[in-house]
Amino acid sequence: MTVGPEVRFRTITLTNYQKLSPGEREAKLLDLYSDNIVRVRRAADFCAKRGIRLYRLSSSLFPMFDLEGDDTGRAVLGHLAPQMREAGYAFEDAGIRVLMHPEQFIVLNSDRPEVRASSARTLAAHADTLDRFGFPRSTWNLLLLHGGKGGRAAELAAIIPDLPDSARLRLGLENDERAYGPQDLLPVCGATGVPLVFDAHHHVVREKLEGQEDPSVREWVLKARATWRPPEWQVVHLSNGIDSPQDRRHSHLITDLPSAYRDVPWIEVEAKGKEEAVAGLMGRGAVPPEQP
């Protein structure tokens, strides 16, 4: 999404959806999905005009798509296949890389079987979305998750090989502020071939460091790069705390760009200011216009 009005997506709540008759549900989703696909296409133009080459596709484009026991959403998207492919081609033609970061309630390694099952179903739905847009099944079009349930890295490593190819071949893992630092995820990445997306802000918060110029940030950038095939596809996350480097809340703009990121090819900006934050970085020369 954008801070401005240019690219905003529509949605519907489960409560309101369930009030509709079967025919009304289909009509509602057809209208909503069609409109959101048009807005995705608009996002490609928005990024291309501004020299932005990395775009996070919303994980909420198609509400009710993965609703258990109700295939209305899937049937509707089947009718919209040409429109989805056209939107996907717009990104590819403009040389814009697309990734997704599904909701945090996806916990593949939960100790609860029902959570593992629902997480796998939701992840597969996101992978299906990327397939329908025509994006290749590789980490070029990353499907990014956090480590999930703390203390269960071995269980996570055991689950990943059994994921469907549409999800497994795109999967990446990101360190977080609490459950999994990069040192916890690196063995999982090594065992499964999944790349590590390093987030310096999460690392600073978790380890209670003074800031993103700590030497360990550069160490982890390089260790994470070694998990990428090819290394030139490496993605890192960039964000700042609101009140201090240790504040886990994301600031509106980016004022602290770590020197450890100086040669990272793909930087995903996580800031509440969204495109304003990216424009600010480009304007001061921190990120050349030809890079994301």
Side-chain angles (χ1 to χ4, degrees), residues 122-134:
T122 302
L123 182 63
H126 284 87
D128 190 12
T129 296
L130 293 174
D131 279 349
R132 290 170 186 257
F133 276 114

Side-chain angles (χ1 to χ4, degrees), residues 24-53:
E24 290 172 332
R25 291 179 179 184
E26 182 176 359
K28 181 65 176 179
L29 293 187
L30 180 60
D31 174 60
L32 193 154
Y33 289 3
S34 298
D35 198 19
N36 279 354
I37 292 171
V38 170
R39 294 169 191 240
V40 170
R41 176 65 179 81
R42 190 183 305 161
D45 293 337
F46 182 93
C47 291
K49 289 177 182 177
R50 290 160 177 79
I52 298 171
R53 293 185 53 223

Side-chain angles (χ1 to χ4, degrees), residues 6 46 64 67 69 112 116 120 136 149 156 161 183 185 188 199 204 213 220-221 223 229 249 270 283 287:
E6 290 89 349
F46 182 93
M64 313 306 149
L67 198 60
R112 296 166 55 193
R116 294 198 300 271
K149 179 72 173 179
L156 179 61
Q183 68 274 15
L185 291 177
V188 178
D199 187 308
V204 167
E213 289 305 315
W220 279 112
V221 166
K223 288 179 180 179
R229 299 290 183 275
R249 299 170 300 168
E270 294 189 314
V287 180

Side-chain angles (χ1 to χ4, degrees), residues 3 48 52 56 85 89 101 113 120 158-159 180 182 187 196 206-207 222 226 267 287 292:
V3 172
I52 298 171
R56 178 188 289 186
R85 284 301 180 103
Y89 291 151
H101 196 350
I159 290 168
Y180 288 93
L196 174 62
R206 189 174 191 272
E207 303 301 328
L222 297 178
I267 300 174
V287 180

Side-chain angles (χ1 to χ4, degrees), residues 174-241:
E174 177 193 358
N175 59 297
D176 62 71
E177 309 105 320
R178 296 173 179 170
Y180 288 93
Q183 68 274 15
D184 303 308
L185 291 177
L186 191 63
V188 178
C189 294
T192 61
V194 169
L196 174 62
V197 174
F198 178 64
D199 187 308
H201 183 205
H202 289 169
H203 177 62
V204 167
V205 173
R206 189 174 191 272
E207 303 301 328
K208 299 179 175 59
L209 304 175
E210 289 189 6
Q212 296 188 30
E213 289 305 315
D214 188 274
S216 64
V217 173
R218 180 60 179 174
E219 293 172 8
W220 279 112
V221 166
L222 297 178
K223 288 179 180 179
R225 182 174 300 164
T227 67
W228 284 85
R229 299 290 183 275
E232 294 79 15
W233 286 8
Q234 182 186 22
V235 176
V236 297
H237 279 183
L238 172 63
S239 60
N240 294 166

